[in-house]
Amino acid sequence: MVKKFAVIAFLFVLAFSTMALGAEEIKIGLVTPLTGDVATFGISTKNAVLLWEKEVNARGGILGNPVKVYWEDDKNTPSETANAVSKLINQNKVHVIIGSVASKCTLAGAPIADAAKVPMISPTSTNEAVTKVGPYIFRACFIDPFQGLVMAKFALETIKAKTAAMVYDIGNDYTKGLAENFKKAFEAGGGKVVASETYGVGESDFSAQLTKIKRLDPDVIFLPDYYNTVGLITRQARQLGIRKAVFLGGDGWDSSELVPIAGDSIEGGFFSNHYAPGSTDPVPMAFLKAYEAAYKSAPDALAALAYDACLIVENAIRRAGKLDRTAIRDAMATTKDLVAVSGRMTLDENRNPIKSAVVLEVKNGKFVYKTTVNP
């Protein structure tokens, strides 16, 4: 036993010494909403990034250099994201930025990072416009056209829906993008969208929109917003007597707060997502075990994608062989067949991952895997 401890101590000292000799600290900026209306998303993201930081430093860092994460809370507010990105670039001098979570926030920070030629990767911003900002902007998630197609295809082929209604936030790039792409794919497949009702940020009374939808009696209602708003809409819909329609949504549903807010009204609903617990592949199994050990809870898709963003960055820095932002960007752009938590991924010419989506069902108050949809 003494010998075993001595070996472990030697390896620790060796790793520490190797990093110390490398001198330069690898500075990773993290922008995520730790407060505000989607705080659970930001907490999951931060947890995963700090877990990776601990793990990678335990392995001796990257290229012999220690990794340090500098994080900022953007409160899910675009102006806060812009300020956070500027601070990380100008004050902290970070090599790479991970964030933000919501598309509207990433779209506010991305132009600043791109102009400064600092690679920025959003774990979860699905709006198609995000990576179109410039060559230094990446993401680790699939994009809205694919996510909208997934749920339209699921509605047509699995639920056998012929009519659909949509309720979404007109001022949010994420919800608008998903609604537009769902409608396009659903009608291309032979379905009819009978209502497109909208609301503004912060609204909590949806009775007017839902009363119109009730008269049209659609087979499904597409709700492409975040968990806190979705929970309110489904609860009010059932209270108004909307019984037949199946609720559908996107990855914004993935929060432990959804069921407590929605209650039984969300039961039987389906949403697209990036990750489903239960994979037997080594990388997701190791991540699940480490996350649960660290935080005493299972990781959601936000955590999985944040960890995947870290793996993309780590892989790129190792292949770049130096701490040069342009070299790191070039290496990130050539990411190919990287084994990550949410699956094997390759980045396309627009720096978007090519990978599968899963559909989860809300069943007995839990998120249960239903099916996988490939690109």
Side-chain angles (χ1 to χ4, degrees):
M1 182 63 74
V2 172
K3 184 178 180 181
K4 181 179 180 181
F5 284 150
V7 171
I8 293 173
F10 171 76
L11 292 174
F12 177 80
V13 171
L14 179 63
F16 181 80
S17 300
T18 302
M19 287 194 291
L21 289 172
E24 186 175 357
E25 186 178 70
I26 299 176
K27 298 179 179 180
I28 305 294
L30 171 64
V31 184
T32 193
L34 299 171
T35 57
D37 57 343
V38 292
T40 68
F41 290 171
I43 293 169
S44 293
T45 299
K46 182 185 173 189
N47 284 347
V49 173
L50 295 186
L51 175 63
W52 168 78
E53 178 193 33
K54 181 180 178 181
E55 291 177 345
V56 76
N57 283 329
R59 294 194 294 268
I62 306 174
L63 305 177
N65 299 287
V67 173
K68 173 68 176 177
V69 174
Y70 296 82
W71 53 267
E72 295 288 334
D73 175 12
D74 70 5
K75 305 178 178 63
N76 199 35
T77 303
S79 60
E80 294 284 349
T81 310
N83 292 337
V85 168
S86 295
K87 180 182 176 184
L88 289 168
I89 293 172
N90 298 319
Q91 295 186 27
N92 300 113
K93 311 293 184 185
V94 298
H95 294 94
V96 177
I97 294 174
I98 296 173
S100 183
V101 167
S103 295
K104 64 178 183 180
C105 291
T106 303
L107 284 167
I112 301 168
D114 193 70
K117 295 186 176 181
V118 175
M120 179 175 179
I121 179 167
S122 169
T124 52
S125 294
T126 54
N127 189 283
E128 196 174 11
V130 167
T131 55
K132 291 182 177 179
V133 168
Y136 280 76
I137 310 304
F138 298 77
R139 80 178 101 217
C141 56
F142 50 63
I143 57 178
D144 288 340
F146 179 55
Q147 190 169 198
L149 172 65
V150 165
M151 292 316 292
K153 187 176 180 182
F154 182 79
L156 291 164
E157 297 179 1
T158 302
I159 299 179
K160 308 298 182 186
K162 298 188 181 304
T163 58
M166 307 191 299
V167 188
Y168 61 96
D169 182 350
I170 191 65
N172 186 316
D173 295 321
Y174 165 74
T175 65
K176 282 173 57 183
L178 271 181
E180 291 167 0
N181 286 291
F182 174 86
K183 184 176 189 293
K184 181 180 178 181
F186 188 72
E187 293 188 335
K192 182 179 181 182
V193 174
V194 296
S196 296
E197 296 295 327
T198 62
Y199 52 86
V201 63
E203 289 189 30
S204 59
D205 182 357
F206 308 96
S207 55
Q209 297 93 328
L210 293 170
T211 298
K212 293 180 184 176
I213 290 174
K214 181 182 178 182
R215 289 197 295 269
L216 298 168
D217 195 28
D219 296 322
V220 297
I221 300 178
F222 189 55
L223 305 172
D225 208 335
Y226 304 124
Y227 59 92
N228 42 8
T229 302
V230 168
L232 294 177
I233 295 174
T234 59
R235 188 182 283 273
Q236 291 176 26
R238 296 307 189 212
Q239 289 171 347
L240 282 170
I242 297 176
R243 302 296 179 197
K244 184 187 80 174
V246 176
F247 297 124
L248 304 177
D251 56 337
W253 286 28
D254 188 19
S255 170
S256 59
E257 293 298 312
L258 175 63
V259 173
I261 294 171
D264 292 340
S265 68
I266 200 72
E267 191 71 12
F270 298 90
F271 65 100
S272 54
N273 209 353
H274 311 262
Y275 159 80
S279 171
T280 57
D281 291 335
V283 172
M285 283 183 67
F287 169 70
L288 179 67
K289 183 178 179 181
Y291 191 97
E292 288 181 336
Y295 303 112
K296 313 305 177 190
S297 64
D300 54 19
L302 282 294
L305 290 173
Y307 195 85
D308 283 355
C310 294
L311 295 181
I312 291 172
V313 171
E314 178 181 350
N315 176 267
I317 295 175
R318 291 190 189 283
R319 288 189 292 112
K322 53 185 176 182
L323 300 184
D324 175 80
R325 292 174 181 82
T326 298
I328 295 170
R329 187 226 80 89
D330 292 346
M332 288 174 69
T334 56
T335 299
K336 184 177 182 181
D337 291 332
L338 178 66
V339 179
V341 176
S342 62
R344 187 180 295 270
M345 71 171 74
T346 295
L347 298 188
D348 67 14
E349 67 276 12
N350 297 314
R351 302 167 305 284
N352 300 316
I354 303 170
K355 60 181 181 178
S356 303
V358 297
V359 176
L360 302 181
E361 179 181 9
V362 184
K363 190 173 184 179
N364 298 321
K366 299 184 181 303
F367 300 157
V368 179
Y369 170 80
K370 182 68 175 179
T371 189
T372 296
V373 180
N374 294 311

